[in-house]
Amino acid sequence: MTDLTIRYVESDTKGRYSSEIEGVPGEAELTISKATPQLIIADHTFVPETLRGKGSAMALIQRLIADAREKKQRIVPLCPFVRAYSEKHKDELSDVIQW
């Protein structure tokens, strides 16, 4: 796969993951809201047409999950894309997904 870069920025109540692929225009994003220090809500994922089918959204979800595990957080999958991924992987995500 081409070089994919993921960045994360946050404020007190929100967070945003973004990904870019070198040489491909556009930026994918996954946003979260922080309900409590231990509970976050994955509320939006967007991938521009130029990045679709290149694994950008999947990379964002995997980073979200890894970060949540590291911080001992639970994720409420409000975003349809994150919800669909979570439902497909229920058993392996039972420690991090809050239904």
Side-chain angles (χ1 to χ4, degrees):
M1 183 200 268
T2 327
D3 289 331
L4 182 127
T5 303
I6 297 178
R7 291 182 184 81
Y8 179 68
V9 294
E10 67 181 337
S11 68
D12 289 340
T13 60
K14 302 277 184 188
R16 180 179 184 268
Y17 291 89
S18 61
S19 68
E20 296 177 297
I21 296 176
E22 187 177 327
V24 180
E27 179 179 76
E29 72 173 2
L30 190 159
T31 60
I32 63 165
S33 297
K34 299 176 188 177
T36 71
Q38 291 78 35
L39 186 67
I40 58 176
I41 301 164
D43 49 31
H44 172 74
T45 303
F46 173 75
V47 179
E49 190 66 38
T50 54
L51 292 174
R52 291 189 183 161
K54 297 181 178 4
S56 294
M58 192 66 60
L60 292 173
I61 288 176
Q62 291 170 348
R63 173 71 182 274
L64 168 69
I65 291 165
D67 286 355
R69 281 187 172 133
E70 182 179 314
K71 297 174 185 177
K72 309 264 189 268
Q73 295 173 319
R74 307 264 310 158
I75 303 166
V76 175
L78 183 63
C79 162
F81 188 77
V82 176
R83 178 171 285 280
Y85 180 86
S86 300
E87 287 175 350
K88 286 181 185 174
H89 303 277
K90 260 188 178 177
D91 291 339
E92 67 190 73
L93 298 177
S94 63
D95 65 318
V96 74
I97 296 297
Q98 178 75 42
W99 295 103

